[in-house]
Amino acid sequence: MAEPESRPRYDHLIAACRAYPPTSVAVVHPCDESSLEGMLEARRLGIVEPVLVGPRAKILAAAEKAGLDIAGLPIEDFPHSDAAAEASVALVRSGACEALMKGSLHTDELLRPVVAKDGLRTGRRISHCFILDVPGHDVPLIISDAAINIAPTLAEKMHITQNAIDLAHALGLAEVRVAILSAMETVNPNVPSTLEAAALCKMADRGQITGALLDGPLALDNAINLAAATTKRIVSPVAGRANVLIVPDLEAGNMLAKSLTFLAGATAAGIVLGARVPIILTSRADSLKTRVASCAVAALVAAARRGNPAAAAAGG
């Protein structure tokens, strides 16, 4: 097994998990090296205690081919990915597992039983967050939503924003500063994302969104760069200091996250929120440290929910 590379901000998240018992995770259809390797490393570090759910023969064959030792791990034998996803949701509903982890199946296969009427739905919209370790940033940078909600409505953005805020608190951010992004920092009736940004900020003023400082619309430069915000004469506790970025739509968020990853050397852990439990989403292209960090993020969210059952029921 490859040794995870050093990523100081992710190292901090992984270290924070030592304060809690391992999180029980249903690993859905882990039939390839990447889904097994990250899970095993997270288990070695005491972050998760996995239950493998899928076709036993394929799981064992994948582990043998990769030279990975899964002896002693429980395997719930189901013949294909759809059945494995449904069984994993049932494990969560029974209280046997506190999180889900995507293996070698499509995201829509995993989420189908999650959002079913008898699945893991809450009052919140399900949304995805990237947690980026960006060189030059002192804390992880959260971006949402860049993977699930294609063109979210204002009501959906309210949920996306609250999910991201709750995640930031679970990760231990002392002050959550949310920038609602657009292409400009002024409200322009011809640019709908600026109107929605202004509405979200007013929702925060009225207590419809809680737990953070919000500002928007803000362009990316004056959201994360204090000099840019000062040049534009934006007076705000968020401008230039944002640690949560809410993007206008999936296309903008996906391009932003991948630009930081491939051009700025960032790494991006991923998690889905808004369901009854956190859902770990990883890619075969992710590094081992990124996959382990995704497990650590889910474990910290699960730990926060143990202390606040009402928030867990609401999806927060």
Side-chain angles (χ1 to χ4, degrees):
M1 183 181 294
E3 190 67 25
E5 73 277 15
S6 175
R7 283 283 176 172
R9 295 135 191 109
Y10 284 176
D11 291 340
H12 175 75
L13 295 178
I14 292 167
C17 294
R18 298 192 185 115
Y20 306 103
T23 298
S24 55
V25 177
V27 188
V28 188
H29 202 258
C31 298
D32 64 1
E33 179 179 357
S34 63
S35 53
L36 288 170
E37 184 183 38
M39 169 273 299
L40 284 172
E41 178 64 13
R43 181 176 183 260
R44 185 185 72 81
L45 293 170
I47 297 169
V48 301
E49 195 55 56
V51 177
L52 311 184
V53 187
R56 178 185 296 272
K58 286 187 177 180
I59 293 171
L60 293 174
E64 182 178 5
K65 181 180 179 181
L68 300 174
D69 182 8
I70 60 172
L73 290 183
I75 300 177
E76 298 283 339
D77 190 11
F78 288 88
H80 49 71
S81 56
D82 284 330
E86 291 176 6
S88 298
V89 167
L91 285 172
V92 169
R93 290 184 61 84
S94 72
C97 291
E98 296 180 282
L100 294 175
M101 182 174 182
K102 177 179 176 284
S104 53
L105 76 169
H106 293 297
T107 299
D108 59 346
E109 289 181 283
L110 173 62
L111 293 182
R112 192 177 300 120
V114 171
V115 301
K117 187 175 181 180
D118 59 348
L120 303 176
R121 290 163 65 178
T122 67
R124 293 267 186 91
R125 179 79 176 184
I126 286 178
S127 61
H128 179 272
C129 287
F130 276 124
I131 305 92
L132 287 104
D133 181 348
V134 184
H137 257 65
D138 293 335
V139 296
L141 184 64
I142 297 171
I143 296 177
S144 190
D145 181 340
I148 290 181
N149 294 284
I150 298 172
T153 64
L154 176 60
E156 290 165 351
K157 285 184 178 180
M158 179 180 70
H159 291 176
I160 289 168
T161 303
Q162 191 67 63
N163 285 343
I165 292 169
D166 292 344
L167 171 62
H169 284 293
L171 299 185
L173 271 66
E175 183 177 67
V176 184
R177 299 180 293 273
V178 181
I180 314 297
L181 297 184
S182 184
M184 58 197 71
E185 64 279 351
T186 54
V187 176
N188 185 332
N190 295 317
V191 184
S193 62
T194 67
L195 300 175
E196 292 178 344
L200 289 168
C201 292
K202 184 52 65 176
M203 286 178 171
D205 290 343
R206 297 291 186 262
Q208 293 170 270
I209 299 171
T210 60
L213 300 171
L214 269 68
D215 196 8
L218 289 172
L220 178 62
D221 56 348
N222 47 57
I224 62 173
N225 185 280
L226 196 55
T230 302
T231 299
K232 292 289 185 73
R233 298 181 181 178
I234 302 172
V235 179
S236 160
V238 174
R241 303 174 63 237
N243 47 28
V244 176
L245 304 177
I246 303 300
V247 298
D249 54 36
L250 182 146
E251 292 173 310
N254 197 274
M255 285 185 273
L256 172 57
K258 288 180 178 176
S259 294
L260 290 171
T261 300
F262 288 96
L263 297 177
T267 54
I271 190 169
V272 171
L273 301 165
R276 284 173 52 178
V277 297
I279 302 170
I280 304 161
L281 284 189
T282 56
S283 166
R284 285 175 295 178
D286 289 338
S287 69
L288 179 57
K289 175 54 72 70
T290 297
R291 284 176 264 148
V292 173
S294 296
C295 292
V297 169
L300 292 173
V301 171
R305 292 183 176 190
R306 284 184 212 125
N308 190 348

